[in-house]
Amino acid sequence: MNTVVLKVDPRQPESEKIRAAAEVLRRGGLVAFPTETVYGLGANALDERAVLRIFEAKNRPADNPIIVHIAEKEDVYVLAEQVPGIAEGLIDRFWPGPLTLLFPKSEAVPKAVTAGLDTVAIRMPSHAIAHALIAEAGVPIAAPSANLAGRPSPTSAEHVLRDLSGRIEMVIDGGEISYGVESTVLDLTTEPPTVLRPGPVTVEELRELIGEVEVHPAAKAEAPVEQVIARSPGMKYRHYAPLAEMIIVEGPIEEVCLRIQELVDARRGLGERVGVMATEETAARYRADVVKVAGSRRDPRSVAKNLFRLLREFDAEGIDLVVAEGLEPVGMGLAVMNRLRKAAGYNILRVGPDG
Ligand code: TXA
Ligand code: MG
C-alpha cells in the first residue's frame, strides 16, 4: 500500500484536503492526523472492520481499547450509556482539549473499539485539523497514537511514516503538536474518579474543579504495573520504549548529576555508546557520547514536548544506554515521569537522602 502524505495548514485546514481525508475514513481506511497531544491513527469508530485494521497496522494487542474522538460535545450522549453529573463540569471546562473521559459504553460502540470492555473512552480534540476531519467525516473516530505498538508516540508526520508507511492509507502532516504527551485519561465510573493516565490536564487542575480524585498506582508508575491491578489494559504493556537500555536517575539534582556522570563513565569504559537526556540547567555538566536537552527543569511542559522525539533520536544515533534525569512528579511533571519510567521499564535509580 502506498501511504499518501497530505500537507495541511494547522491554522486554516484547507477544506478540499480535509474532504479527501474524511472520504478515506468513511470508506473504511486509516488516516493518521495531528492532535494537540500526539499524532493519532484514525478509523471510523462505528465500522468494526476499519477499527480492526488499526490493531493490525499498529501490531496492537487485541485487548487494548481505543479512545473515540468526537467533534461535538453532544456526541458523548450517543456513545456513553450514562453521563454522570460530574462529567458536565469537566466537559465545559476541558473540552475541546487533552482530557479523555471514561463512561459506561452504549450499544452504538462496537466491541472492537473497547476491546470487549463495558466502558468507552471519549475525547474531543482541540487541534483544528483533528476537529475539521472528525466533523467532515460525520462519524466518531477511533484513534490510538499513530506509532507501532511499544514505540514512542509520534509527535510529527515523519515519526508516523517511520512506523506506519505502507501500512495505512494516509498521513496528514500538520506540523508540530502542542503538548507532546497523550491526553489525561480520567475514569468517571469510579467514586471518586480515577486518573488512569496522567497528562496535560493535571491532577491538580482536576481536583480544583471536582474535588477528590484518585491517581491509579500504575499512573504514578513507581512500580512495575504487574504489581498493581491494571484497570486500563494499556497500563500493562511496555511502552514508549527506545531500543536502547534506559535508566532514570531521580533525587536532588546535584546528586543526580554526579551519579549520572559516574554511570556514563562506567558504561563508556565497557565500550558502550552512552547518551544523557539532560535539561537546560544541567546539560553543560555532562561528558557523554551524546547529550540532549529535553527542556527546562522549571517547566515540565517544555520537557513533555520533546520527550518522545528525543527517545527516537537516541535510537537513530545508535546509543546503547540512555540515562535520563528525573523531574518532580507534580503537574505536567507527573505525565513526563509516567512516560519516562515506562520507557525505562521501571529501571529507576534513586539517589540522595531517601534513595
Ligand atoms: O492524546 C491521546 O489520547 C492520543 C491522541 C491520538 O488522541 N491517543 C492515545 O491513544 O494516546 P492510545 O490508544 O495510544 O492510548 C489510549 C489509552 C490506552 O492506555 C488504553 O488502554 C486506554 O487509553 N483506554 C482506552 N479505552 C479504555 C477503556 N474503555 N477503559 C480503560 N482504558 C482505556
Ligand atoms: Mg499509544
Side-chain angles (χ1 to χ4, degrees):
M1 184 188 310
N2 176 39
T3 301
V4 174
V5 181
L6 209 57
K7 222 174 165 64
V8 173
D9 182 349
R11 283 166 308 266
Q12 258 181 320
E14 299 87 341
S15 48
E16 70 284 2
K17 294 184 182 171
I18 294 298
R19 267 201 301 277
E23 182 54 29
V24 174
L25 287 170
R26 274 197 303 268
R27 283 200 316 258
L30 304 184
V31 177
F33 60 95
T35 80
E36 67 276 22
T37 56
V38 300
Y39 274 70
L41 177 60
N44 176 356
L46 305 181
D47 177 347
E48 188 133 43
R49 276 184 48 200
V51 172
L52 289 172
R53 286 197 53 217
I54 291 181
F55 286 88
E56 214 179 283
K58 283 188 54 123
N59 290 332
R60 187 181 180 92
D63 67 348
N64 195 4
I66 300 179
I67 297 171
V68 180
H69 297 63
I70 58 176
E72 302 296 335
K73 291 179 181 178
E74 295 75 56
D75 292 348
V76 78
Y77 297 95
V78 179
L79 303 166
E81 181 61 37
Q82 191 203 326
V83 178
I86 206 167
E88 271 149 26
L90 288 163
I91 288 171
D92 272 352
R93 168 79 194 280
F94 295 112
W95 281 10
L99 176 66
T100 295
L101 298 174
L102 218 74
F103 302 96
K105 81 181 261 302
S106 79
E107 294 284 305
V109 184
K111 272 210 180 84
V113 172
T114 64
L117 297 179
D118 51 14
T119 53
V120 59
I122 307 176
R123 108 173 178 87
M124 179 177 170
S126 60
H127 194 289
I129 293 176
H131 180 84
L133 179 65
I134 301 162
E136 181 67 31
V139 288
I141 299 297
S145 50
N147 51 281
L148 285 173
R151 298 278 300 144
S153 293
T155 55
S156 71
E158 193 194 319
H159 296 165
V160 176
L161 285 167
R162 199 156 308 150
D163 282 11
L164 300 177
S165 182
R167 302 168 79 96
I168 62 179
E169 276 79 6
M170 186 179 273
V171 178
I172 297 181
D173 182 352
E176 269 188 42
I177 41 66
S178 323
Y179 293 108
V181 292
E182 310 87 342
S183 63
T184 305
V185 178
L186 183 67
D187 186 351
L188 294 179
T189 68
T190 61
E191 177 66 54
T194 309
V195 170
L196 300 181
R197 180 174 72 184
V201 172
T202 64
V203 174
E204 293 82 354
E205 285 176 297
L206 293 171
R207 286 188 177 140
E208 199 177 27
L209 185 71
I210 60 172
E212 209 185 333
V213 171
E214 282 293 341
V215 180
H216 193 280
K220 295 182 201 142
E222 283 157 0
V225 182
E226 289 72 26
Q227 292 176 17
V228 296
I229 306 151
R231 162 108 40 76
S232 189
M235 288 172 171
K236 66 175 187 272
Y237 295 109
R238 182 153 188 233
H239 255 123
Y240 318 120
L243 304 170
E245 178 186 351
M246 189 167 175
I247 301 174
I248 316 295
V249 183
E250 298 185 26
I253 189 59
E254 287 304 317
E255 283 146 88
V256 166
C257 287
L258 291 173
R259 179 56 76 85
I260 288 182
Q261 191 61 55
E262 275 173 31
L263 265 169
V264 171
D265 293 341
R267 298 293 283 268
R268 288 179 89 194
L270 300 173
E272 293 182 16
R273 273 175 63 76
V274 183
V276 177
M277 192 185 285
T279 45
E280 281 165 18
E281 291 85 352
T282 58
R285 302 198 204 175
Y286 298 115
R287 298 287 167 267
D289 294 294
V290 181
V291 178
K292 291 185 187 287
V293 176
S296 166
R297 299 189 64 77
R298 288 187 299 269
D299 178 14
R301 288 183 182 265
S302 66
V303 176
K305 196 162 174 181
N306 296 311
L307 185 64
F308 289 138
R309 174 175 57 83
L310 294 190
L311 291 178
R312 284 175 180 264
E313 284 179 13
F314 280 118
D315 276 348
E317 291 166 35
I319 292 296
D320 300 304
L321 170 69
V322 176
V323 191
E325 288 174 10
L327 296 181
E328 219 196 321
V330 295
M332 186 71 135
L334 180 63
V336 168
M337 290 314 295
N338 169 271
R339 303 325 186 263
L340 272 179
R341 287 162 173 166
K342 277 192 185 182
Y346 304 98
N347 213 351
I348 302 166
L349 208 65
R350 291 206 171 74
V351 295
D354 23 75

